Amino acid sequence: MNLWNSTDNIQEKKLLKFISSIFESETLNKFKQLLSNHWRSLNKGNYDAKLYKVYYRDTGLLIASLDEEAQEDLRANRNFGTYKGAIFENIVADMLAKQGYDLYYYRSESPSLEMDFFVRDAQSLIPVEVKAKDNATVSLNRLISSDKEKYDDIQYGIKLCNKNIGFNGKFYTFPYFLTFLLRRFLKR
């Protein structure tokens, strides 16, 4: 018997009833409440519920969610620069999440400042910037060297890009593919 046969509505009705029971269940309501309480508990410091980014746990799904023209561009290796930043940031977010890091994003209007991620070591808060090109890291430099009263937890930063490993006195530079080793590096 084919479950998805349009003439066999009994199986379809059972499936729909099962799915609706999940959405109406007390367990789901408790989960929603727990999630709501969790987000409220995070409402401290610089937390702003209106500023967030969404990442896919599977970058293939990210690409599949793009419109057909964008997918064709990527398959033909055209206009990769248009999508490169978002794709690399998504890959890094996935690698950080798989290491157990929560994903935090920071944005400030005055002065103009944006940081992709934050992680911690034993002594400090570490801004992590993902760069698709070898551009200047204005926000990272500003967080590290400017207002020490405002950002006193930040001693150094990490820049993930298409470059070799390095340290310039302010931040470490790592190639993207080493993100999976970040936790091990920070423990030393």
Side-chain angles (χ1 to χ4, degrees):
M1 173 191 325
N2 183 352
L3 285 176
W4 303 108
N5 188 339
S6 61
T7 59
D8 189 4
N9 288 336
I10 296 170
Q11 293 298 328
E12 186 177 334
K13 286 178 184 177
K14 283 182 181 178
L15 181 62
L16 289 174
K17 185 177 179 181
F18 174 72
I19 291 171
S20 66
S21 72
I22 290 173
F23 285 105
E24 294 169 1
S25 74
E26 188 60 33
T27 305
L28 185 64
N29 289 332
K30 286 179 182 176
F31 177 72
K32 287 179 189 174
Q33 184 64 41
L34 181 68
L35 195 57
S36 174
N37 291 341
H38 174 69
W39 286 113
R40 262 191 252 115
S41 74
L42 289 176
N43 199 3
K44 56 188 174 205
N46 293 321
Y47 175 76
D48 184 347
K50 293 175 275 184
L51 295 175
Y52 62 90
K53 291 185 176 185
V54 176
Y55 298 102
Y56 285 78
R57 289 295 297 230
D58 181 335
T59 304
L61 290 176
L62 167 66
I63 292 170
S65 71
L66 298 173
D67 63 42
E68 195 172 315
E69 184 180 338
Q71 289 180 39
E72 183 57 39
D73 280 351
L74 289 170
R75 281 191 290 271
N77 205 18
R78 290 188 308 259
N79 298 325
F80 183 61
T82 305
Y83 312 103
K84 187 176 180 181
I87 292 170
F88 282 24
E89 195 172 314
N90 194 86
I91 291 168
V92 167
D94 186 33
M95 285 193 274
L96 290 174
K98 286 177 179 169
Q99 292 177 70
Y101 287 112
D102 290 327
L103 303 179
Y104 297 101
Y105 162 73
Y106 178 74
R107 183 170 164 213
S108 169
E109 295 296 327
S110 177
S112 179
L113 190 69
E114 183 176 356
M115 191 51 49
D116 300 323
F117 305 104
F118 285 91
V119 295
R120 279 202 162 279
D121 67 6
Q123 293 84 29
S124 66
L125 182 65
I126 304 159
V128 178
E129 188 162 24
V130 180
K131 298 302 275 183
K133 298 178 182 172
D134 189 28
N135 297 344
T137 56
V138 177
S139 292
L140 189 56
N141 282 319
R142 192 173 288 150
L143 279 171
I144 295 167
S145 59
S146 64
D147 192 352
K148 281 296 176 192
E149 283 181 26
K150 189 171 184 180
Y151 307 115
D152 63 338
D153 256 12
I154 298 173
Q155 307 303 316
Y156 64 95
I158 294 174
K159 176 182 174 183
L160 298 168
C161 57
N162 193 21
K163 294 198 74 139
N164 252 331
I165 298 171
F167 182 68
N168 68 1
K170 292 181 181 180
F171 58 85
Y172 291 92
T173 302
F174 294 107
Y176 307 111
F177 69 85
L178 289 180
T179 304
F180 80 99
L181 294 172
L182 197 57
R183 185 175 289 281
R184 187 182 304 175
F185 170 77
L186 294 175
K187 284 184 178 180
R188 294 181 176 197

